[in-house]
């Protein structure tokens, strides 16, 4: 049976820009109120709030640097104060700096684990502590099935987050459903143009780049699909089939 999103309240981490913003807007279009988390993008977060309000839903912008666990807790306290209990959490915020296997540092690994694995786990713990039941969607990456030799620290953080996603789904059932999306080539990294993805699309079975809308469709599907937990939707044109165990 489909779960209703209308009248629900969602928190989207990294909701000010790019894919997170598209998720926040899609949730609002589906009838949810949205807490838009941001770190540095305050102006974009406030603009996203205005856009959601124009759609007739309530929205709030709340900052937190996810490298600091205390800020995660403050984010949830603030969200609760503004919006009341949350029924939906989307963990989209992430950091994606380049790093190689030969040279990645302990500090780069720690920061990736903090932002890409520990912070969303901490956010999910706050989330399950404040409401009886709900749904979580975590953002992984198509490459968790294989390697990312250009972003080794990032890849380690996301791979750990994939494990945490399965553990959350098991430990918090039956009250909470925890699923994930694993995007492939959707948006180029910050500072890169469309040619960055065009160069890579030869490695995609569907031979094209995806759109933010492909990702938001999968997120909304997972949030509504009341018998799914521990599921990963690969929004990647089939790329994970080729990435698996490839060096
Ligand atoms: N783009 C793709 O094609 C692609 C491919 C595979 C996987 N993904 C995954 O999909 C999700 C969304 O992708 P994206 O490209 O839109 O993400 P992104 O632009 O790399 O990052 C999203 C947001 O994360 C927030 N963030 C980064 N460090 C933070 C910190 N220390 N504290 C709090 N927030 C922090 C930033 O918020 P502020 O701007 O407010 O600082 C940023 O806007 C990510 O989890 C990503 O790994 C994306």
């Amino acid at each position: 049976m489909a779960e209703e999103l209308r009248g629900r309240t969602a928190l989207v981490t990294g909701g000010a820009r790019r894919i997170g913003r598209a998720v926040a807007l899609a949730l609002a279009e589906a009838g949810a109120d949205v807490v838009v988390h941001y770190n540095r993008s305050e102006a974009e977060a406030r603009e996203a709030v205005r856009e959601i309000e124009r759609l007739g839903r309530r929205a709030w912008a709340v900052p937190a640097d996810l490298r600091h666990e205390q800020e995660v807790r403050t984010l949830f306290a603030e969200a609760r104060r503004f919006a009341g209990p949350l029924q939906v959490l989307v963990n989209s915020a992430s950091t994606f700096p380049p790093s190689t296997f030969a040279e990645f540092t302990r500090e780069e690994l720690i920061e990736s684990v903090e932002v890409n694995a520990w912070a969303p786990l901490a956010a999910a713990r706050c989330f399950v502590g404040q409401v009886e039941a709900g749904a979580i969607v975590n953002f992984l990456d198509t490459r968790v099935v294989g390697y990312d030799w250009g972003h080794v620290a990032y890849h380690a953080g996301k791979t750990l987050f994939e494990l945490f996603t399965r553990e959350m789904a098991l430990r918090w059932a039956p009250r909470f459903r925890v699923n994930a999306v694993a995007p492939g080539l959707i948006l180029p990294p910050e500072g890169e143009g469309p040619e960055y993805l065009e160069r890579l699309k030869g490695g995609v079975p569907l031979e094209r780049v995806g759109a933010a809308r492909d990702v938001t469709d999968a997120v909304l599907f997972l949030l509504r699909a009341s018998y799914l937990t521990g599921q990963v939707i690969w929004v990647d044109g089939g790329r994970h089939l080729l990435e698996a165990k490839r060096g």
Side-chain angles (χ1 to χ4, degrees):
M1 207 172 67
E3 268 172 36
E4 181 59 79
L5 286 170
R6 186 160 298 281
R8 302 278 182 194
T9 306
L11 189 154
V12 181
T13 69
R17 305 176 58 238
R18 293 167 51 89
I19 295 175
R21 180 196 187 95
V23 172
L25 291 172
L27 281 164
E29 280 165 11
D33 296 333
V34 187
V35 178
V36 177
H37 156 263
Y38 67 95
N39 184 30
R40 286 182 297 194
S41 302
E42 180 174 1
E44 292 91 337
R46 300 212 174 283
E47 179 48 38
V49 164
R50 283 192 290 276
E51 218 170 309
I52 291 167
E53 287 171 345
R54 282 196 288 274
L55 292 167
R57 305 311 314 177
R58 298 186 307 158
W60 306 264
V62 183
D65 183 339
L66 298 179
R67 287 174 301 181
H68 308 302
E69 192 170 345
Q70 183 50 46
E71 296 200 24
V72 178
R73 285 195 282 272
T74 307
L75 163 66
F76 273 81
E78 290 283 278
R80 172 96 199 198
R81 194 162 65 82
F82 292 137
L86 308 165
Q87 296 84 31
V88 169
L89 170 65
V90 178
N91 276 313
S92 176
S94 168
T95 173
F96 184 62
S99 60
T100 64
F101 188 71
E103 290 182 350
F104 83 98
T105 63
R106 182 174 173 274
E107 287 67 34
E108 286 168 337
L109 179 64
I110 288 170
E111 177 156 342
S112 174
V113 168
E114 276 170 349
V115 177
N116 296 324
W118 186 257
L121 173 63
R125 283 174 166 172
C126 291
F127 175 73
V128 301
Q130 54 87 56
V131 71
E132 279 305 301
I136 300 175
V137 173
N138 291 331
F139 271 73
L140 304 177
D141 186 297
T142 183
R143 300 192 102 173
V144 295
V145 291
Y147 307 92
D148 185 343
W149 298 112
H151 304 88
V152 171
Y154 162 82
H155 181 260
K158 285 287 186 186
T159 301
L160 180 59
F161 193 29
E162 190 269 336
L163 169 65
F164 286 165
T165 299
R166 284 186 278 125
E167 291 175 338
M168 289 179 208
L170 277 171
R171 278 295 196 254
W172 296 336
R175 292 192 301 127
F176 293 89
R177 296 186 302 104
V178 184
N179 293 293
V181 290
L185 303 179
I186 306 293
L187 293 182
E190 209 71 70
E192 301 279 357
E195 66 287 347
Y196 178 95
L197 300 184
E198 290 297 319
R199 259 201 325 270
L200 295 169
K201 74 180 183 191
V204 176
L206 293 186
E207 294 179 359
R208 58 187 170 82
V209 168
R213 180 61 194 264
D214 296 314
V215 180
T216 61
D217 283 351
V219 171
L220 294 192
F221 171 76
L222 289 170
L223 290 173
R224 288 177 170 134
S226 65
Y227 200 51
L228 295 193
T229 198
Q231 195 68 242
V232 179
I233 298 189
W234 309 91
V235 190
D236 66 349
R239 191 181 184 195
H240 66 286
L241 300 170
L242 298 173
E243 292 288 336
K245 306 281 188 289
R246 205 171 65 162

